[in-house]
Amino acid sequence: MPISFKPYTRVPGFTPEFQRVHEFLFRLNDPEVINEGFLWGRWEWMFSLPFLDTANLHKIGIWEDAGRIVGLATYEQNVGNVWFSVDPGYVFLKEEMLLYAKDSLRKDGEVQVLIRDSDSDFQQIAAGLGLKPTQEHECNAVIPIEESLMKYTLPEGYRIVSLADEFDLNKYNKVLWRGFNHEGEAPEAIQDLLDRQTELSGPHVDLNLKIAVAAPDGQFVAYCGMWHLPGNDYALVEPVATDPAYRMKGLGKAAVLEGVRRCGERGAKRAYVGSSQQFYYSIGFRPYSTETWWKHSSVRK
């Protein structure tokens, strides 16, 4: 039976089609064959965010072999930027997937695709189709989950709390708002809090792995979300935030390492984060891979 193509469903949310792609990414992202595609946790986080462009979901491309997903071309927030995930046995699909991205996932006549720097074959395909590398990169880091690397201390009066222990949308909303350097008070309208609740309502969310540091007054001032499924030996860090008024106290480090440590207790041997920030290197993460955005434009300048 030949390889077949199908568009992703137009229906947003955690649908059966969402779950099929999740299962593909879970299978694909084994640490032995991990590639430039999404980790399953990133796919779920993407569908949890209120600013996802749901009007173009049907432009996400899926390739199947006898009903089994073997390739995915997706954007994360909006069309224009494209990630590819390909089963190692189907790398011959990359040219077809890249052609599809050029035709169907453009924004204002332009498209950027992410290619791992070590994937010379894919780079050759991209160059042959007129794409050129840019100065924009995505970096990934990894930490081996070893007891010696999981140590942290908290200032007196501060404590670790999971969202399973204390599910407070107002506190969660505030630490993410402040932690991502937004000005002013965190918005607390009903829809704002419902959006935050959606972030925590994915089918594979485990609130025991959503870690906050509470200040002496009880407010959450640092946060780390972890993604891990039992039976899998890697975890994903996403997102991490510390209130600017509480930085340089080791609170972000504590939240991250506690989250990673808990994933280790469940069988994870390593944790990944999509970042090259010195903060992560300083607490034990190491550079893992670098990917470059390759661009194609049909717009005359």
Side-chain angles (χ1 to χ4, degrees), residues 110-153:
E110 297 184 342
V111 68
Q112 289 195 134
V113 304
L114 195 62
I115 299 177
R116 179 169 282 202
D117 289 357
S118 60
D119 192 342
S120 58
D121 290 339
F122 204 5
Q123 290 178 337
Q124 184 68 20
I125 294 170
L129 293 176
L131 284 89
K132 297 186 182 302
T134 71
Q135 292 297 307
E136 299 178 44
H137 306 281
E138 301 281 337
C139 298
N140 299 293
V142 65
I143 186 171
I145 303 180
E146 302 170 359
E147 184 177 353
S148 61
L149 296 176
M150 298 297 107
K151 297 178 180 178
Y152 63 85
T153 58

Side-chain angles (χ1 to χ4, degrees), residues 1-179:
M1 181 179 295
I3 306 299
S4 61
F5 170 83
K6 65 173 292 186
Y8 189 77
T9 179
R10 292 176 179 268
V11 181
F14 305 115
T15 63
E17 190 76 342
F18 163 88
Q19 181 61 25
R20 289 186 68 236
V21 173
H22 167 270
E23 291 169 358
F24 162 65
L25 295 176
F26 182 79
R27 167 172 58 86
L28 181 66
N29 292 143
D30 182 283
E32 297 304 318
V33 297
I34 197 168
N35 65 8
E36 68 273 11
F38 272 16
L39 292 175
W40 68 263
R42 188 167 184 173
W43 173 255
E44 186 158 326
W45 178 243
M46 157 187 166
F47 275 81
S48 301
L49 298 175
F51 44 76
L52 172 66
D53 176 7
T54 57
N56 284 305
L57 287 178
H58 64 286
K59 294 183 179 180
I60 295 173
I62 295 173
W63 284 259
E64 297 182 339
D65 186 354
R68 183 172 181 258
I69 299 178
V70 295
L72 176 76
T74 185
Y75 60 91
E76 185 177 43
Q77 296 179 18
N78 301 283
V79 292
N81 292 334
V82 184
W83 285 256
F84 300 100
S85 292
V86 190
D87 186 295
Y90 295 80
V91 293
F92 59 86
L93 288 173
K94 286 187 174 181
E95 183 170 1
E96 178 181 336
M97 296 172 73
L98 190 48
L99 284 167
Y100 174 79
K102 284 180 59 181
D103 291 340
S104 302
L105 288 166
R106 293 175 297 172
K107 182 178 183 180
D108 300 328
E110 297 184 342
V111 68
Q112 289 195 134
V113 304
L114 195 62
I115 299 177
R116 179 169 282 202
D117 289 357
S118 60
D119 192 342
S120 58
D121 290 339
F122 204 5
Q123 290 178 337
Q124 184 68 20
I125 294 170
L129 293 176
L131 284 89
K132 297 186 182 302
T134 71
Q135 292 297 307
E136 299 178 44
H137 306 281
E138 301 281 337
C139 298
N140 299 293
V142 65
I143 186 171
I145 303 180
E146 302 170 359
E147 184 177 353
S148 61
L149 296 176
M150 298 297 107
K151 297 178 180 178
Y152 63 85
T153 58
L154 287 173
E156 185 177 355
Y158 292 78
R159 59 189 173 88
I160 291 287
V161 57
S162 77
L163 296 189
D165 302 322
E166 187 175 340
F167 189 82
D168 190 312
L169 287 175
N170 285 284
K171 292 181 181 180
Y172 170 76
N173 178 48
K174 183 177 179 180
V175 69
L176 289 185
W177 176 266
R178 294 273 299 157

Side-chain angles (χ1 to χ4, degrees), residues 285-298:
F285 282 80
R286 304 162 186 175
Y288 178 73
S289 65
T290 304
E291 299 147 5
T292 295
W293 287 103
W294 288 60
K295 185 175 183 178
H296 182 274
S297 177
S298 59

